[in-house]
Amino acid sequence: MSFTLTTLTDSIKEWTENDESTFVAEIPFFIKNAEERIFKSVDLDYFRKNVTGTMTSGNKFLQKPSDYLAAHSLSFVKDSSNIFLLQKDVNFIQEYSPDPSVTGVPIYYAQFDVDNFIVAPTPNSSFAVELHYFYRPASLTTDDSGTTWISTNAPDALLYACLVEAYTFMKGENDLIQLYTSRYGESLARLKNYAEGRNYSDSYRDGLVRQPRT
C-alpha cells in the first residue's frame, strides 16, 4: 500500500470522520508536519544526497546546494586523491585563517551562513569538491497523484503521524490521541530498525538477526 496526496487526504477524513471545510483545508499542513516528524526522527539514506562542485582559487567561500540541511562530509580531489575536510566552528576558521589572502591547501570547513561554507586556508588552486549532505525531500503535498519514499515505504507511520496532527487540531479525545501517538511510535520503531539497523548490516558479515526463544 502507498499513499498519494488524494488517498491520504481521504484516509484522514475517514479516520477522523471529519470533512468540514476548515479541517480539510488544514490537511496539507498535517501531512507536512507528519513528514517533518519522520524526517527528523529517522536517519534514512533516502534523506542523503551527493553533489559535486568546484572550490575556486582565492575564494574562501563555497556555495551550499539550495536544498541543503546538514553535512555528512565535504571532500576535494588533489593529485588524484580524495581529501576530507574537517568540520569546525566558523570562529575557529576565522581565528585559524584571519587573512583570506593567505592561501594554501584547505584543511577545515564550517557553516558560514545559510547559503555558504567557509574553508581554511583559502584555496590556492581550483579543486573539484564532493559534498555528501542531508536534505529535505519534496513533500507529498506538492503533487496530487504522485508518491514519495515515505508514502510508499512507511505509509503506516505517515498515516498515524497525520492522525496525531489532525486530532490535536480537532482538540479530540486524549485517549485517541494517545492511541495514535502509540501506533505512530510503533511504526517509527520498525522504520528505524530498517533504516538504522538492517540497512547498515549484511548477513554474510554480521550473521542473521536472531531472536531469543520464549
Side-chain angles (χ1 to χ4, degrees):
M1 178 187 74
S2 62
F3 284 118
T4 64
L5 175 60
T6 299
T7 58
L8 182 55
T9 298
D10 290 342
S11 290
I12 293 170
K13 290 190 290 186
E14 289 171 7
W15 281 65
T16 58
E17 298 181 337
N18 189 347
D19 60 2
E20 189 270 328
S21 59
T22 301
F23 174 81
V24 172
E26 290 294 317
I27 288 179
F29 180 72
F30 303 154
I31 295 172
K32 289 179 181 178
N33 274 3
E35 291 171 330
E36 196 73 9
R37 280 175 178 260
I38 297 170
F39 174 66
K40 290 182 176 176
S41 299
V42 185
D43 185 12
L44 284 165
D45 283 346
Y46 172 67
F47 300 147
R48 299 184 183 193
K49 185 185 286 189
N50 279 62
V51 67
T52 57
T54 304
M55 274 194 288
T56 305
S57 178
N59 184 1
K60 65 180 180 178
F61 296 109
L62 180 65
Q63 188 173 8
K64 298 175 183 177
S66 60
D67 57 358
Y68 172 89
L69 286 178
H72 288 290
S73 66
L74 178 62
S75 63
F76 66 96
V77 178
K78 182 179 184 294
D79 299 329
S80 301
S81 296
N82 262 1
I83 299 174
F84 286 84
L85 297 176
L86 301 176
Q87 188 174 34
K88 295 289 186 178
D89 183 82
V90 67
N91 296 325
F92 174 93
I93 298 289
Q94 292 174 328
E95 183 177 12
Y96 175 82
S97 182
D99 184 354
S101 66
V102 177
T103 63
V105 177
I107 302 173
Y108 306 108
Y109 78 103
Q111 318 278 339
F112 183 76
D113 57 24
V114 175
D115 299 315
N116 297 281
F117 296 114
I118 184 172
V119 300
T122 301
N124 60 4
S125 182
S126 294
F127 298 107
V129 299
E130 181 177 12
L131 174 67
H132 184 204
Y133 67 103
F134 189 53
Y135 80 107
R136 178 176 283 104
S139 171
L140 184 67
T141 60
T142 60
D143 185 351
D144 286 348
S145 59
T147 60
T148 64
W149 191 97
I150 291 175
S151 75
T152 299
N153 295 281
D156 51 347
L158 180 58
L159 174 61
Y160 287 126
C162 287
L163 291 174
V164 171
E165 296 293 331
Y167 271 96
T168 301
F169 175 82
M170 292 168 60
K171 300 177 176 61
E173 295 107 349
N174 284 334
D175 57 342
L176 273 178
I177 294 177
Q178 291 172 4
L179 172 64
Y180 292 138
T181 300
S182 175
R183 293 286 180 87
Y184 166 69
E186 293 169 3
S187 301
L188 187 68
R190 290 193 293 269
L191 183 60
K192 286 176 72 69
N193 181 52
Y194 161 75
E196 299 168 13
R198 294 178 183 175
N199 205 32
Y200 289 97
S201 63
D202 63 53
S203 298
Y204 177 75
R205 294 187 179 277
D206 302 313
L208 294 172
V209 177
R210 297 182 182 274
Q211 298 290 339
R213 291 186 179 182
T214 57

